[in-house]
Amino acid sequence: MFFDNLRSEKFMHPMLNIAIRAARSAGSVITRGFENRSDLTISVKGAQDYVTKVDQDAEQAIIEKIQQSYPDHSFMGEEGGIIKGDETFKWIIDPLDGTTNFIKGIPHFCVSIALLYKGRLDQAVVFDPIRGDLFTASKGQGAQLNGFRIRVNNKKDVSDSIICTAFPFKDKSSFNQYMESFTPIFHSCGDVRRTGSAALDLAYVASGKFDGYWESGLKPWDMAAGELIVRESGGLVTDFSGGNDPIDKGQIVAGNPRMVQHLVKYLK
């Protein structure tokens, strides 16, 4: 059972507890790498898409920690791909969401871990190793930041809201199409942010730091954990058409119901 002011991991769902330990293990790898960025080995996966040995080592640290308790589970990781196992339990991992920020020395990135149980989001962790912020959620049990219950911002006035997004930097040919939606959203709200970490952006929506968020071209590991955390904080998560398939479609809109309705009006 969860409590509004949860101060100890011993009350958490056992699989969430293991996910937290895995996230912290990866966080240790990341913070050491961040302090020694001059030694980084950087590879290019695609247009504006980078990977470092820190990404790979952090993912391995996560998998090893989870497999100590659940050796038969399956995995989907950004760097390691698919590890086959019991499909009833599938872990979706982004060991370092915000790699470009990490490489550039911008302290805004995170570890993202989600668990699918029978194909549905069940547990989620987003961990910011620099700030020490730990966002967690269990299906039906609410969402927490550092052990305290969080809720999406219930702001009704869109005109002074802070919305977050990401530009189509991997496919700049679609920028003009993107701007057709961005322009009216920008004029209707207070301001727009672009931070470079989808998982952390969603966690910020869940905790009321951002009022809404939208992005397309995402992979499951970019948004799985963040989606559950937003839902469990009382938020609404949809695709651009207002449907319930953000992971399948690779596009996501998040916020309180009024904010999501406002954003979808321009996106669908």
Side-chain angles (χ1 to χ4, degrees):
M1 181 177 180
F2 283 78
F3 302 92
D4 283 349
N5 292 334
L6 184 62
R7 297 302 296 166
S8 173
E9 294 177 7
K10 69 181 180 180
F11 295 114
M12 292 183 174
H13 187 289
M15 291 186 186
L16 180 61
N17 205 342
I18 293 301
I20 290 170
R21 294 178 189 177
R24 292 193 186 280
S25 180
S28 296
V29 173
I30 292 167
T31 51
R32 286 196 301 270
F34 193 65
E35 293 168 356
N36 298 282
R37 291 189 314 283
S38 60
D39 299 328
L40 284 176
T41 301
I42 303 170
S43 303
V44 179
K45 295 192 291 184
Q48 301 300 311
D49 193 5
Y50 304 101
V51 63
T52 71
K53 191 173 186 301
V54 171
D55 295 71
Q56 296 162 343
D57 290 347
E59 182 168 296
Q60 189 59 38
I62 292 168
I63 293 170
E64 287 178 358
K65 182 64 71 173
I66 294 172
Q67 285 183 329
Q68 287 175 6
S69 298
Y70 306 110
D72 298 330
H73 288 190
S74 62
F75 294 83
M76 176 191 292
E78 180 177 12
E79 310 308 335
I82 301 293
I83 297 178
K84 293 184 178 180
D86 182 358
E87 288 293 315
T88 304
F89 300 94
K90 176 177 282 188
W91 296 89
I92 303 179
I93 301 166
D94 191 339
L96 178 50
D97 186 53
T99 298
T100 301
N101 285 349
F102 173 82
I103 291 170
K104 295 293 186 179
I106 301 169
H108 192 83
F109 41 80
C110 68
V111 181
S112 175
I113 303 172
L115 173 65
L116 293 180
Y117 174 64
K118 295 183 177 179
R120 301 182 68 114
L121 289 168
D122 193 74
Q123 308 294 328
V125 174
V126 170
F127 178 52
D128 177 345
I130 299 301
R131 297 177 181 86
D133 283 341
L134 179 71
F135 301 85
T136 60
S138 288
K139 185 179 178 182
Q141 300 294 332
Q144 296 82 32
L145 166 57
N146 297 330
F148 290 92
R149 194 69 172 263
I150 54 175
R151 302 287 294 178
V152 293
N153 197 324
N154 199 31
K155 182 183 292 294
K156 293 184 171 69
D157 187 359
V158 176
S159 66
D160 67 347
S161 60
I162 301 297
I163 312 297
C164 191
T165 187
F167 300 117
F169 64 97
K170 293 181 182 178
D171 180 17
K172 295 182 179 179
S173 64
S174 63
F175 182 75
N176 290 338
Q177 181 182 0
Y178 169 84
M179 288 301 294
E180 291 177 9
S181 299
F182 177 89
T183 300
I185 291 172
F186 176 74
H187 285 292
S188 68
C189 69
D191 204 352
V192 176
R193 298 285 185 268
R194 188 267 192 265
T195 71
S197 173
L200 208 46
D201 291 341
L202 287 165
Y204 276 24
V205 171
S207 55
K209 301 176 191 297
F210 292 144
D211 300 303
Y213 170 74
W214 88 95
E215 187 175 354
S216 62
L218 294 172
K219 300 296 185 182
W221 48 78
D222 295 317
M223 56 176 146
E227 177 183 341
L228 182 63
I229 292 171
V230 171
R231 291 189 189 279
E232 289 297 323
S233 67
L236 182 64
V237 180
T238 74
D239 53 45
F240 282 8
S241 64
N244 294 317
D245 302 310
I247 289 180
D248 290 339
K249 293 188 176 179
Q251 52 185 222
I252 194 167
V253 188
N256 69 43
R258 182 183 180 92
M259 186 63 62
V260 169
Q261 182 182 27
H262 176 77
L263 293 173
V264 166
K265 177 174 65 175
Y266 297 110
L267 293 168
K268 71 177 181 180

